[in-house]
Amino acid sequence: MNTLFNPENTKTILLRLDNLTETSEAKWGKMNVGQMLKHCQGPLNIALGNQVLVTKLNFFQKTLLSFYKPVLYNNKPWKRNLPTAKEFKITTPQLFPEEKENLKLLIETFSKKTDVKTWPNHPLFGYFTPEQWGQMQYKHLDHHLSQFNV
């Protein structure tokens, strides 16, 4: 399974990011390329403790997400147009060069944390092993880079 804790996987993701341009168009979804770059920073910021989600879940929602959790880090590609936390919905214009650089820095920071054995619980999904965190981050980035055909 690909993970951001594998230097080759991280290098591939960064090379794919370099292939994005301000005019890259999505094959699906509502976000433009700048918004997608900003959106992709959210899960990395959560893992790194730089962002907090205020979204609260009721018992039914938590139960439903517990069944969905393994999909986040397995070998199957994510489906298109999945729901996301409101904090990760980016609807305002974003500066492409700035967001691209911010995302690269977050990827590089996250990928170097191979020695971290205890990560914070995900605010919606709870506990992930370090391996699952790395796989999930890779899979999220892969999903959105595929969305923009890179």
Side-chain angles (χ1 to χ4, degrees), residues 118-137:
T118 305
W119 288 83
N121 280 348
H122 190 282
L124 302 179
F125 294 98
Y127 175 78
F128 288 106
T129 67
E131 293 79 16
Q132 291 166 341
W133 271 110
Q135 293 164 347
M136 178 175 58
Q137 297 295 348

Side-chain angles (χ1 to χ4, degrees), residues 62-81:
K62 285 181 184 180
T63 303
L64 188 62
L65 286 181
S66 70
F67 291 108
Y68 178 73
K69 183 177 173 180
V71 172
L72 296 175
Y73 52 83
N74 67 15
N75 282 321
K76 296 179 184 176
W78 288 358
K79 294 181 181 179
R80 297 176 178 187
N81 300 311

Side-chain angles (χ1 to χ4, degrees), residues 14-144:
L14 292 171
L15 288 171
R16 290 170 67 189
L17 266 174
D18 283 338
N19 287 322
L20 288 172
T21 68
E22 288 189 63
T23 59
S24 295
E25 291 189 27
K27 296 191 296 187
W28 73 84
K30 297 176 183 175
M31 293 184 289
N32 65 33
V33 67
Q35 292 166 329
M36 178 274 291
L37 293 168
K38 180 73 170 182
H39 164 84
C40 286
Q41 295 170 44
L44 289 160
N45 276 317
I46 292 293
L48 294 168
N50 300 335
Q51 184 175 351
V52 175
L53 293 184
V54 295
T55 299
K56 300 293 181 207
L57 302 176
N58 62 39
F59 176 77
F60 174 75
Q61 291 168 317
K62 285 181 184 180
T63 303
L64 188 62
L65 286 181
S66 70
F67 291 108
Y68 178 73
K69 183 177 173 180
V71 172
L72 296 175
Y73 52 83
N74 67 15
N75 282 321
K76 296 179 184 176
W78 288 358
K79 294 181 181 179
R80 297 176 178 187
N81 300 311
L82 292 172
T84 191
K86 65 181 177 184
E87 292 91 343
F88 297 158
K89 291 181 181 179
I90 309 299
T91 57
T92 58
Q94 302 296 312
L95 297 174
F96 174 82
E98 181 179 313
E99 299 309 334
K100 187 175 180 179
E101 187 60 29
N102 289 342
L103 181 55
K104 283 182 173 184
L105 290 172
L106 282 170
I107 291 168
E108 290 168 356
T109 300
F110 179 89
S111 68
K112 292 176 183 167
K113 299 219 176 260
T114 56
D115 59 334
V116 175
K117 301 299 179 212
T118 305
W119 288 83
N121 280 348
H122 190 282
L124 302 179
F125 294 98
Y127 175 78
F128 288 106
T129 67
E131 293 79 16
Q132 291 166 341
W133 271 110
Q135 293 164 347
M136 178 175 58
Q137 297 295 348
Y138 177 92
K139 195 169 175 180
H140 183 243
L141 292 164
D142 177 66
H143 173 77
H144 285 294

